[in-house]
Amino acid sequence: MSEDEKAIRELVAAWMEASRRGDTEAVLSLMTDDVMFMVPGREPFGKEEFTAASRGMTDVRIEGVAEIKEVKVIGEWAYLRNRLTVTVIPAGGEPMLKRSGYTLSILRKEEDGRWRLTRDANLLAVHESR
């Protein structure tokens, strides 16, 4: 495994851990300022909307599992195919929401040498709700 692939895998692990902790600032540091998210049923959105949504999720806990299926590094760019399972657990015993599916992400190596997410096509669908 190359150093770049190792760094990308560490980025995914850091994202999942920061999400579990509810550490929005740590998650934001893992993406470029011009990041774009694409999800079914809505127009693509950027970092500002992601930030607002994340900061609005104060009464939930997020648990997730990322299964990296493929990483390909091409110079200063890379793509990542990933299977995610994310469970959102509200405080107070409200029903939890579980989503799972694939993502296809594009990453860019920035001037500081760190890899960051720049584009993400997220195909997670409701898997189970209890």
Side-chain angles (χ1 to χ4, degrees):
M1 179 183 315
S2 74
E3 288 300 313
D4 285 325
E5 183 177 340
K6 182 179 176 190
I8 290 166
R9 289 176 180 275
E10 289 171 357
L11 179 148
V12 172
W15 187 298
M16 299 304 288
E17 175 60 23
S19 295
R20 187 190 65 73
R21 289 191 325 266
D23 188 345
T24 300
E25 295 307 314
V27 172
L28 294 172
S29 75
L30 301 173
M31 62 182 78
T32 63
D33 288 337
D34 67 343
V35 69
M36 187 65 54
F37 294 93
M38 292 159 279
V39 298
R42 62 178 297 186
E43 289 295 314
F45 59 93
K47 194 170 188 175
E48 186 176 316
E49 190 171 338
F50 180 95
T51 302
S54 294
R55 290 192 174 137
M57 296 179 67
T58 57
D59 294 335
V60 301
R61 190 174 85 243
I62 297 174
E63 299 290 334
V65 176
E67 299 172 59
I68 296 173
K69 300 296 186 181
E70 181 180 15
V71 175
K72 178 70 174 173
V73 176
I74 308 155
E76 302 296 307
W77 295 88
Y79 69 82
L80 165 72
R81 190 171 56 88
N82 200 10
R83 177 158 175 77
L84 291 178
T85 301
V86 177
T87 305
V88 179
I89 306 162
E94 295 176 33
M96 67 180 178
L97 178 64
K98 187 173 184 179
R99 295 182 182 268
S100 63
Y102 289 90
T103 67
L104 182 59
S105 303
I106 300 173
L107 300 105
R108 186 171 66 216
K109 195 172 196 177
E110 299 287 276
E111 290 181 14
D112 64 3
R114 292 181 55 203
W115 286 95
R116 290 188 176 84
L117 179 73
T118 191
R119 299 290 183 270
D120 188 69
N122 179 316
L123 302 174
L124 300 188
V126 174
H127 176 67
E128 174 183 333
S129 182
R130 287 191 254 171

